[in-house]
């Protein structure tokens, strides 16, 4: 059984059967533990092309590719010929001439991934695209929920905070809706998009109201670097209405807390909260590695050798 598409650009590229294939493969890799390797990408050149900063996504893709025995090239945009005016497409073509078959791309420009995929016979994987999509983050979040609840179907989940700038929120809105999660939102109104994707969703006035009604809160980083004007005047005020702290946690200790990272402590979350067993941030990171191994191994069926 193959994935329905030979690339991963958009969370909409994934149907329910694709999700099952990815999650089943993820289960297998988790069972195999931390020290085994696999030959799905044996000797396949794979480039990590991150034009935006990253810790967990980049390193987990790198480790995933290495565990599948790929030859990993770490393309550094700051020291590359992009600084001499070479285009992104020329860069891909240059690497293709060396035999690179898979490109894991993160870029701030919405639409670049699709443009690159339309111009190559090789495989582009979206590792974060502007404000629009981050499919492997959506996948690892779905997997985290599936693992915790048995199935995400019927789980009540509230996405909290900077939905406007968050590709993570968009990927989750697409993927979680498909799996029957009841999604709601809470955020300052300046941070809510006017978007079809959120049409009809319940919007809670603050985190307290959300906590009373949901099983999971998915906190988002307040993305100051993407704000064109100062949308949040006071972080204290933000935290008092939308931040997770011990007092709120103690009101409902069974509440599940997620955050894609990196966290702004004291804004979205108090540092102490991460020590609580229902705070699944470390699980999200852990599953991210295996989800990326699953995606890469399944896409290896599409490599033109
Ligand atoms: C996110 C991203 O880069 O989109 N982080 C991640 O990949 N885990 C979220 C963020 O930057 O806030």
């Amino acid at each position: 059984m193959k994935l329905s598409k030979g690339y991963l650009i958009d969370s909409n590229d994934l149907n329910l059967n694709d999700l099952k294939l990815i999650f089943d493969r993820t289960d297998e890799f988790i069972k195999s533990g931390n020290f085994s390797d696999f030959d799905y990408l044996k000797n396949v050149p794979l480039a990590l092309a991150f034009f935006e900063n990253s810790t967990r996504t980049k390193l987990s893709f790198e480790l995933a590719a290495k565990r599948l025995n790929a030859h990993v090239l770490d393309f550094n945009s700051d020291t590359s010929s992009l600084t001499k005016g070479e285009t992104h497409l020329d860069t891909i073509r240059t690497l293709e001439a060396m035999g690179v078959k898979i490109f894991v791309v993160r870029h701030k420009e919405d639409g670049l991934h699709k443009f690159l995929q339309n111009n190559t016979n090789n495989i582009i994987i979206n590792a974060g695209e502007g404000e629009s999509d981050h499919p492997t983050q959506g996948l690892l979040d779905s997997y985290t929920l599936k693992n915790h609840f048995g199935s995400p179907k019927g789980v009540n989940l509230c996405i909290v905070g900077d939905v406007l700038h968050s590709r993570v929120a968009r990927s989750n809105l697409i993927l979680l809706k498909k799996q029957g999660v009841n999604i709601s939102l809470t955020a300052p109104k300046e941070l809510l998009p006017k978007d079809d994707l959120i049409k009809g969703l319940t919007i809670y006035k603050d985190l307290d109201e959300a906590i009373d009604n949901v099983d999971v809160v998915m906190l988002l980083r307040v993305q100051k670097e993407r704000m064109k004007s100062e949308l949040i005047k006071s972080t204290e005020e933000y935290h008092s209405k939308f931040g997770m702290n011990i007092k709120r946690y103690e009101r409902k200790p069974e509440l599940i807390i997620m955050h894609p990272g990196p966290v702004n402590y004291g804004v979205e979350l108090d540092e102490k909260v991460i020590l609580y067993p229902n705070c699944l941030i470390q699980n999200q990171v852990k599953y991210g590695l295996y989800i990326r191994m699953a995606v890469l191994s399944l896409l290896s069926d599409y490599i033109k050798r």
Side-chain angles (χ1 to χ4, degrees), residues 52 56-57 106 134 137 167-168 221 223 225 260-262:
E52 245 189 38
R56 57 216 97 213
T57 305
R106 169 172 285 200
H134 189 356
Q137 179 71 38
R167 54 194 177 207
V168 175
R221 184 172 65 87
Q223 302 196 25
E225 78 280 13

Side-chain angles (χ1 to χ4, degrees), residues 23-62:
F23 296 156
D24 287 351
R25 183 67 61 84
T26 303
D27 287 340
E28 283 172 36
F29 285 138
I30 289 180
K31 272 198 206 105
S32 76
N34 256 330
F35 294 97
S36 25
D37 63 346
F38 301 85
D39 283 342
Y40 289 99
L41 297 182
K42 191 168 166 58
N43 296 334
V44 174
L46 172 152
L48 299 170
F50 279 65
F51 302 98
E52 245 189 38
N53 293 344
S54 173
T55 300
R56 57 216 97 213
T57 305
K58 183 174 175 199
L59 292 178
S60 64
F61 263 116
E62 179 170 354

